[in-house]
Amino acid sequence: MTFYQQLQDSTARDRDYLLSAPIIEACRTGDINKEMYIAFLRQAYYHVRHTVPLLMATGGKLPQDYEWVRGAIAEYIDEEYGHQEWILNDIRACGGDAEAVRTGQPGLSIELMVAFLYDQISRSNPMGFFGMVQVLEGTSVAIALNVAEQLKKGLSLPLNAMSYLSSHGALDQEHLRFFESLMDKVEKPEDQQAIIHSAKVVYRLYGNMLREITGHLS
């Protein structure tokens, strides 16, 4: 079994927890309002703005013999830079206050998720960062394009209000293939366990965030 497949199998229960969040089904069926969509974009902004800093921190912590990973990180940085601004543009297009989001604070689950990742990189094993990649890119491929289509139909949103979801659904299919090939090169058991552990934690915290959105707005 390749490590990528081991990662998929080891995190299946945690992935199901995320995908069973009520807002996922609501998006699939079009049973979502603009307030819920903006609430999701707000929390997305608070973790996406850390993607490049987390990548940089990971690259800086890796030892010399991980140059093969550092090269992949350089590619990720090039691809991910500035995506938080796409989210703010989507919020503006929906009539939301993008500047209030920029200067605001995340909900507890995203606060904990970001703090956990920085802690894994600085105190434990920087390879654990890739657990987040497993969660966010895999989730984007699974639901982003379908959700964007339902939002377009149900809320009659313009295309410029869905640039983050629409672009990531397509873009992350390519990213996921790249990620799979990278994970299959990870051979050290301690690195594999760090990635699996991080993915489990991020699946849970991100799933909690999705549940908090509907809980706060109900």
Side-chain angles (χ1 to χ4, degrees):
M1 181 185 296
T2 65
F3 173 58
Y4 179 75
Q5 189 57 56
Q6 181 186 343
L7 176 60
Q8 295 295 99
D9 292 351
S10 298
T11 59
R13 181 178 297 179
D14 307 282
R15 183 166 53 255
D16 287 345
Y17 175 75
L18 186 158
L19 294 175
S20 66
I23 195 171
I24 299 290
E25 183 60 26
C27 288
R28 284 175 172 152
T29 60
D31 187 22
I32 184 172
N33 57 45
K34 191 180 293 186
E35 186 181 16
M36 292 167 68
Y37 178 50
I38 293 175
F40 165 76
L41 290 174
R42 182 183 300 119
Q43 296 308 313
Y45 172 79
Y46 291 130
H47 71 78
V48 170
R49 69 179 178 183
H50 286 280
T51 301
V52 170
L54 284 164
L55 283 162
M56 290 177 168
T58 300
K61 280 286 187 178
L62 291 172
Q64 187 174 349
D65 58 338
Y66 282 71
E67 203 61 35
W68 58 280
V69 181
R70 222 182 321 268
I73 287 172
E75 290 191 42
Y76 274 121
I77 289 172
D78 187 53
E79 290 282 354
E80 297 295 329
Y81 186 79
H83 286 194
Q84 72 274 14
E85 295 299 325
W86 296 3
I87 298 173
L88 294 180
N89 290 337
D90 287 349
I91 291 171
R92 289 189 192 96
C94 289
D97 189 342
E99 293 310 307
V101 172
R102 189 194 299 275
T103 58
Q105 295 294 320
L108 179 61
S109 293
I110 294 301
E111 183 89 48
L112 291 173
M113 187 181 93
V114 171
F116 165 77
L117 290 165
Y118 278 115
D119 184 66
Q120 289 298 292
I121 293 166
S122 64
R123 186 184 60 84
S124 185
N125 185 334
M127 289 294 286
F129 167 79
F130 290 100
M132 184 190 81
V133 181
Q134 154 76 6
V135 175
L136 298 183
E137 292 196 351
T139 302
S140 290
V141 168
I143 66 172
L145 286 177
N146 186 33
V147 168
E149 184 62 27
Q150 291 300 326
L151 287 169
K152 180 182 175 182
K153 290 178 181 177
L155 299 182
S156 300
L157 292 174
L159 287 177
N160 66 341
M162 296 177 291
S163 59
Y164 173 69
L165 280 180
S166 298
S167 63
H168 277 69
L171 185 63
D172 285 345
Q173 291 182 38
E174 181 179 341
H175 283 183
L176 200 58
R177 288 191 291 270
F178 179 70
F179 176 71
E180 180 177 353
S181 67
L182 181 66
M183 289 299 96
D184 284 345
K185 297 174 185 175
V186 178
E187 297 179 348
K188 293 183 179 179
E190 61 268 29
D191 293 339
Q192 294 178 348
Q193 288 308 307
I195 294 167
I196 291 171
H197 173 63
S198 290
K200 285 176 170 287
V201 172
V202 174
Y203 271 126
R204 289 285 163 170
L205 291 173
Y206 202 83
N208 288 345
M209 178 273 284
L210 294 175
R211 286 165 170 78
E212 287 164 7
I213 289 175
T214 50
H216 292 165
L217 297 178
S218 60

